[in-house]
Amino acid sequence: MGEMNSVLASQQRLERKLKDLNMTLDEEKQTHTKQRDQLTLRVKALKRQVDEGETELERMDGLRRKAQRDMEEQIELKEALQTSHSRGN
């Protein structure tokens, strides 16, 4: 009978240990799921920031090109005025 009790006690200990391990595993899974979800959100936010940055760069590049064209037109106009002015003299 004593040996049977010992076997049952061992079995109960193992079952408790298994239950504890399963609880720990579930907690780990939840933690990893939360971390994964947080990382997914972070990646989405970073991608959005990259998109916004690229859009802003394109906008600024457009403004730079426009300013360049405007400046070239001003130079051409100034040269044309100087040429016609010097011809007039």
Side-chain angles (χ1 to χ4, degrees), residues 10-26:
S10 286
Q11 187 180 355
Q12 287 174 343
R13 270 199 310 276
L14 285 172
E15 284 174 355
R16 275 198 303 275
K17 192 172 184 182
L18 185 60
K19 190 176 175 183
D20 287 347
L21 285 172
N22 277 324
M23 283 175 58
T24 303
L25 185 61
D26 285 345

Side-chain angles (χ1 to χ4, degrees), residues 17-76:
K17 192 172 184 182
L18 185 60
K19 190 176 175 183
D20 287 347
L21 285 172
N22 277 324
M23 283 175 58
T24 303
L25 185 61
D26 285 345
E27 288 170 7
E28 288 284 321
K29 279 183 183 175
Q30 285 179 354
T31 301
H32 287 299
T33 300
K34 281 182 189 171
Q35 288 176 345
R36 188 196 62 211
D37 292 347
Q38 287 172 348
L39 283 172
T40 300
L41 289 174
R42 181 84 181 113
V43 167
K44 283 181 182 175
L46 289 171
K47 282 182 179 175
R48 192 168 54 246
Q49 287 177 0
V50 167
D51 288 346
E52 289 168 0
E54 287 174 348
T55 300
E56 182 64 12
L57 277 176
E58 287 171 10
R59 190 184 73 80
M60 294 190 72
D61 196 44
L63 290 173
R64 183 189 59 75
R65 284 196 305 268
K66 183 183 182 317
Q68 181 78 29
R69 280 195 308 271
D70 290 350
M71 190 177 72
E72 287 168 0
E73 286 174 13
Q74 291 295 318
I75 290 170
E76 286 173 16

